[in-house]
Amino acid sequence: MSEITKTAVVSVVGRPNVGKSTLTNKLVGQKVAIVSSKPQTTRTRITGVLSRGETQYVLLDTPGLHKPRSRLGDYMCKVVTDTVGEVDVAALVVEPIASIGPAEESLIEQIKRNHMPAILVINKIDTLPKEELLAVIAVYAAAHEFAAVVPVSARTGEGLDELLGEIDKYAIEGPPLFPEDMVSDQPERQLAAEIVREKLLRLLDREVPHGTAVGIEHWSEREDGLIEIGATIYCEKASHKGIIIGKQGKMLREVGQQARADMERMLDAKVYLTLWVKVKEGWRNNQYQMRNFGYEDS
């Protein structure tokens, strides 16, 4: 019989690169969202699920709020604004900087407009002296009356128990929303595609990885347990295709090797991964193509 008697649905919001996905992964206890040092890594809303004690925490990791330059960018920003208003509590993740940027101002305005309880999560506290935190807290306290302020390090795990304690105050009595052994609502095919995209973000420079999307074309499990996966990497320019493949296929091999290792950890099975690269010009501004890659309003 389930021990879960209450649930808390949390939107994890903030500007790009503040550590939202790292925080979500750390809280869940395993990787459900891809992570890179490049902005706009997360493109859609990712659900991470943590069942602990009597509470099931449902964490909605959202794209970083930014100034959109394409239809895909518009979609990503809409995901953020739609998510803020449909949860039990919002967690605004910020860096430990004593000034408020335009993205944070916009998110605070949305929180106020939706009359949403919000927790200020100051991330990356392992990167500065503790006494400097007071100035950061003062700046945000002047902008909004947050329900709580929790300094954390998503990288080391410091402060995360305190954060869960604050979120728990907004949990609602009722049965779990997901099975207790579930950590994400993403199907394995989608997770595999995201793993490939993460490696592109980490290994490629500048604009090239932002113009990529990944589709899983083939997935089969053999009798000996080996999982065969075929994925196509779509890019926007022929010149980008050459960069992704690399000299004598070196870059594509490296992407494949790193992605396969992550997939094997995720699936707990041996994986045979095949990658192809195709050009789809301007897909980020094509509503039909975006829908094909799973970026659509739902």
Side-chain angles (χ1 to χ4, degrees):
M1 192 173 172
S2 172
E3 293 180 11
I4 302 294
T5 60
K6 52 187 180 174
T7 60
V9 183
V10 193
S11 60
V12 183
V13 298
R15 65 173 175 76
N17 270 74
V18 293
K20 298 182 298 298
S21 295
T22 303
L23 178 65
T24 300
N25 290 339
K26 197 77 171 180
L27 286 168
V28 170
Q30 69 183 72
K31 188 173 191 167
V32 295
I34 64 170
V35 177
S36 86
S37 60
K38 293 184 173 68
Q40 296 159 44
T41 297
T42 302
R43 284 179 174 168
T44 190
R45 189 170 79 181
I46 292 165
T47 304
V49 183
L50 170 64
S51 297
R52 192 166 93 165
E54 297 179 337
T55 308
Q56 184 171 84
Y57 303 90
V58 180
L59 308 158
L60 305 181
D61 179 21
T62 61
L65 192 65
H66 63 285
K67 189 172 183 179
R69 293 187 296 173
S70 64
R71 269 185 185 246
L72 177 62
D74 290 334
Y75 162 81
M76 288 159 65
C77 289
K78 189 172 186 298
V79 168
V80 183
T81 55
D82 286 354
T83 302
V84 169
E86 57 184 38
V87 294
D88 300 317
V89 61
L92 174 60
V93 185
V94 302
E95 290 190 320
I97 299 168
S99 65
I100 300 177
E104 286 84 4
E105 284 179 356
S106 175
L107 286 163
I108 289 169
E109 190 53 44
Q110 287 172 46
I111 286 163
K112 287 177 176 176
R113 197 160 53 239
N114 286 285
H115 306 289
M116 175 63 57
I119 298 166
L120 180 68
V121 182
I122 304 172
N123 191 23
K124 306 183 184 179
I125 59 166
D126 52 316
T127 63
L128 85 166
K130 292 284 191 287
E131 57 269 18
E132 291 184 24
L133 268 177
L134 294 173
V136 182
I137 293 168
V139 165
Y140 279 94
H144 182 63
E145 192 176 333
F146 287 92
V149 177
V150 186
V152 306
S153 168
R155 189 179 64 83
T156 66
E158 184 182 352
L160 297 196
D161 283 338
E162 290 84 352
L163 175 58
L164 286 174
E166 291 297 336
I167 293 169
D168 199 56
K169 293 175 183 176
Y170 298 92
I172 293 172
E173 300 253 341
L177 299 174
F178 296 95
E180 288 183 46
D181 59 351
M182 197 168 172
V183 295
S184 178
D185 66 343
Q186 292 185 96
E188 289 175 338
R189 290 173 77 107
Q190 186 179 344
L191 285 165
E194 284 287 272
I195 285 170
V196 174
R197 195 167 68 82
E198 177 187 66
K199 304 314 169 193
L200 294 167
L201 282 161
R202 289 188 174 185
L203 292 168
L204 295 171
D205 288 332
R206 301 193 188 111
E207 180 63 16
V208 176
H210 290 300
T212 60
V214 180
I216 302 296
E217 316 294 341
H218 170 75
W219 185 297
S220 65
E221 193 167 336
R222 297 194 331 202
E223 285 185 11
D224 61 4
L226 180 77
I227 300 173
E228 296 180 340
I229 300 172
T232 300
I233 298 164
Y234 296 93
C235 59
E236 290 190 304
K237 297 177 183 176
S239 59
H240 290 180
K241 180 178 178 179
I243 293 166
I244 292 166
I245 293 171
K247 193 174 180 181
Q248 298 177 325
K250 187 178 178 183
M251 178 58 74
L252 192 62
R253 274 197 305 276
E254 183 64 26
V255 170
Q257 286 169 3
Q258 291 193 20
R260 181 175 56 80
D262 269 19
M263 288 177 192
E264 289 183 338
R265 278 191 289 273
M266 175 184 77
L267 299 166
D268 195 22
K270 284 288 179 188
V271 170
Y272 182 80
L273 175 64
T274 308
L275 296 176
W276 298 274
V277 185
K278 291 183 180 178
V279 178
K280 275 203 188 296
E281 290 188 13
W283 72 264
R284 281 185 290 179
N285 279 307
N286 183 309
Q287 199 166 9
Y288 173 75
Q289 295 294 351
M290 281 175 52
R291 194 174 293 123
N292 277 350
F293 295 130
Y295 307 126
E296 61 178 326
D297 297 339
S298 59

